[in-house]
Amino acid sequence: MDKLTTISAGLFMAADVCAIVSLAMPDWIVTSVGGETRLGLMWTCMTLYNRPQVCFTPELQPEWLIALICIFVGCICITTTIILLASSNWDRNVIPYARWVGFTAMVLFCLAAVIFPLGFHVDEIGGQPYHLPHSHQVGISYIMFVLALWITVISELFAEKVCLPQF
């Protein structure tokens, strides 16, 4: 593999890890009103009145379910891209496929980033689409997902050889 392909594969791997970790944690939307509530796409955790923390799988609104599906399929696409980039050591003809699969992951992550804030109207939050109330904040999981999105964009630029650093 040439240097740009190696850099691209490494960045895609970092993006995949960030996206998977963001899905695993329940810190997409956080609030400390009436206790501590952490809303996530896979888990929701609540601590009410100094009681033990209770975590459960939430019933997702359609907007958040679509965002979850986009992120999940995007992670599969990124993993496939990494495998294709690694296999380009033996067959250089797979690189165009890796680029397209990586591009698909980038588009899916962008869709999830646009669709997720539509769900701010859920009863647990009480906001409007794209507008959180002042009592709620985005958490570290959402920030890690946005980081995964940006790393995916940069990885795709390296895979397409658009961003050519000087070595």
Side-chain angles (χ1 to χ4, degrees):
M1 275 194 301
D2 64 341
K3 289 179 184 178
L4 290 177
T5 305
T6 304
I7 291 170
S8 180
L11 287 171
F12 272 121
M13 189 171 296
D16 208 13
V17 168
C18 285
I20 291 168
V21 168
S22 76
L23 282 178
M25 295 187 331
D27 297 315
W28 283 71
I29 304 293
V30 295
T31 184
S32 57
V33 174
E36 183 181 338
T37 303
R38 299 172 11 215
L39 303 172
L41 295 178
M42 306 264 301
W43 296 102
T44 292
C45 294
M46 299 173 129
T47 306
L48 300 174
Y49 305 111
N50 295 325
R51 293 182 184 163
Q53 183 179 36
V54 177
C55 294
F56 56 91
T57 304
E59 265 191 51
L60 296 176
Q61 297 295 323
E63 300 90 349
W64 285 8
L65 183 61
I66 292 169
L68 174 63
I69 292 168
C70 286
I71 295 169
F72 186 73
V73 174
C75 288
I76 292 170
C77 287
I78 288 178
T79 303
T80 304
T81 301
I82 294 167
I83 292 168
L84 288 171
L85 287 173
S87 67
S88 72
N89 251 350
W90 299 278
D91 184 8
R92 299 291 293 169
N93 295 328
V94 299
I95 288 182
Y97 300 109
R99 291 176 182 161
W100 278 108
V101 175
F103 179 76
T104 303
M106 182 182 71
V107 169
L108 286 167
F109 279 7
C110 288
L111 277 173
V114 169
I115 293 170
F116 177 75
L118 284 171
F120 289 170
H121 67 83
V122 298
D123 292 337
E124 294 89 353
I125 298 174
Q128 300 290 328
Y130 297 104
H131 182 37
L132 277 175
H134 295 292
S135 59
H136 291 71
Q137 302 171 359
V138 294
I140 190 70
S141 295
Y142 184 73
I143 294 167
M144 285 186 70
F145 167 67
V146 172
L147 178 65
L149 168 62
W150 280 106
I151 294 173
T152 303
V153 170
I154 294 167
S155 304
E156 186 63 23
L157 290 174
F158 276 105
E160 293 287 341
K161 304 207 183 325
V162 172
C163 183
L164 296 173
Q166 300 294 324
F167 290 112

